[in-house]
Amino acid sequence: MGTVLDKDSKTPEATNGAAAPQTIDQVRELLSGAEQRTFEDQLSKLRADMQAMQSDLEGQLKNARKELSDAVAKADTDHKARLAEVGSAIEEVGRAIGSIANR
């Protein structure tokens, strides 16, 4: 069973009029197989690169959250220390005023 070209569609057809799937697949492979493999390889590499970038970004985000949390904790500690210093200064001023009043 050979193949002939249908003069209207320019596609190979079996001599009995039915399309020959193997022949069509072979022609497709010959015409675009290398391009398809190249495309699939590039797509696979792109996906791998995107996954690596996503992992890197997640790591950076985790580090940024940790740094922010540490900065907030330090700011809170510093704030409490400053409040204690202000409280001590106010007490000292109060004692100084009290000593002036007692003279």
Side-chain angles (χ1 to χ4, degrees):
M1 186 183 281
T3 58
V4 294
L5 288 180
D6 178 0
K7 63 181 174 185
D8 293 329
S9 67
K10 306 292 186 215
T11 59
E13 291 186 1
T15 54
N16 66 359
Q22 287 180 333
T23 304
I24 292 172
D25 289 342
Q26 288 172 346
V27 170
R28 284 186 186 138
E29 176 62 27
L30 289 172
L31 293 176
S32 63
E35 290 177 9
Q36 183 67 26
R37 285 187 295 280
T38 299
F39 173 78
E40 289 171 357
D41 290 346
Q42 290 173 344
L43 184 59
S44 178
K45 184 180 180 331
L46 180 60
R47 285 182 177 147
D49 290 347
M50 287 176 58
Q51 285 178 334
M53 289 169 50
Q54 182 178 4
S55 294
D56 184 48
L57 185 59
E58 287 171 352
Q60 290 179 11
L61 184 58
K62 182 179 178 181
N63 290 340
R65 285 181 175 153
K66 171 90 170 83
E67 289 176 16
L68 180 60
S69 177
D70 292 347
V72 167
K74 184 180 182 322
D76 187 46
T77 301
D78 291 348
H79 181 253
K80 288 177 181 176
R82 295 300 136 340
L83 285 176
E85 290 172 5
V86 168
S88 295
I90 290 172
E91 287 176 3
E92 187 177 324
V93 168
R95 286 191 297 273
I97 291 173
S99 71
I100 292 173
N102 289 337
R103 286 190 207 173

